Amino acid sequence: CTAAMGGAKGGAVTGALTQPVVVAGNTVYVRAGTYTLTGNNTYGTAGSAGNPITYIGYTTTRTDNGQVTVTTATNSVVMFNITGAFRRFVNFIAQRTGGTTVIGYSVTGGTTILKNCKALTTTSSGFEFGSGSTNSQCFNCWASGTTSNAGFNVTSAGANQVKLFGAVASGGSVVGFSFASND
């Protein structure tokens, strides 16, 4: 299916982004635009092994790797709160434009894949992997301008086997990478 998050291409969104009803195996294509959050954006439905739920951003054609920008100026927001397992996010930018205690991507659903994603000027972690995020991976992801907590932050021993490939942390006032476990 093709989705314009929030019901229209770009613009302000009241609360969390409107998400289509998804089931294991669905791929949702999201047309590039700038979407503004005023609340948490939680992805709780789980996919399954061999049938993940996938969100792919694009500009003109579904394979052009165009990125979707999600912004917030609201306090205490998790822009991509990924609690369901077997999820994939490709070509997304989470950018804080104001507000405090903003997390770009929080992963507690196992076997989550983030590819070509950015977290810009977040006040808390850009990418945070907590308990339950076992076997999750980041490919070519970038955290820039983080001001508290690490750009890439593995927060608990329950975040086993988190893998970062081509991850870059830059321009923040805190450490770029933090691992709470030796896994």
Side-chain angles (χ1 to χ4, degrees), residues 15-16 37 42 44 63 66 68 81 84 89 95-96 98 117 132 142 148 161:
L37 290 176
T42 299
T63 58
V68 175
N81 186 25
F89 292 83
Q95 182 173 15
R96 180 186 66 88
C117 291
W142 182 30
S148 70
Q161 308 287 325

Side-chain angles (χ1 to χ4, degrees), residues 78 80-89 103-119 122 124-143 146 148-169 176-183:
V78 178
F80 288 85
N81 186 25
I82 305 162
T83 61
F86 297 100
R87 291 286 196 140
R88 295 180 180 168
F89 292 83
I103 297 172
Y105 301 82
S106 174
V107 179
T108 56
T111 317
T112 295
I113 295 175
L114 303 171
K115 183 177 178 185
N116 196 27
C117 291
K118 297 178 181 176
T122 58
S124 197
S125 301
F127 296 86
E128 183 174 275
F129 296 90
S131 182
S133 63
T134 300
N135 297 322
S136 293
Q137 302 174 19
C138 271
F139 294 92
N140 301 322
C141 293
W142 182 30
T146 306
S148 70
N149 295 329
F152 291 86
N153 192 10
V154 180
T155 64
S156 75
N160 295 320
Q161 308 287 325
V162 171
K163 296 175 179 75
L164 308 175
F165 301 94
V168 175
F177 297 88
S178 175
F179 298 92
S181 154
N182 291 327
D183 296 326

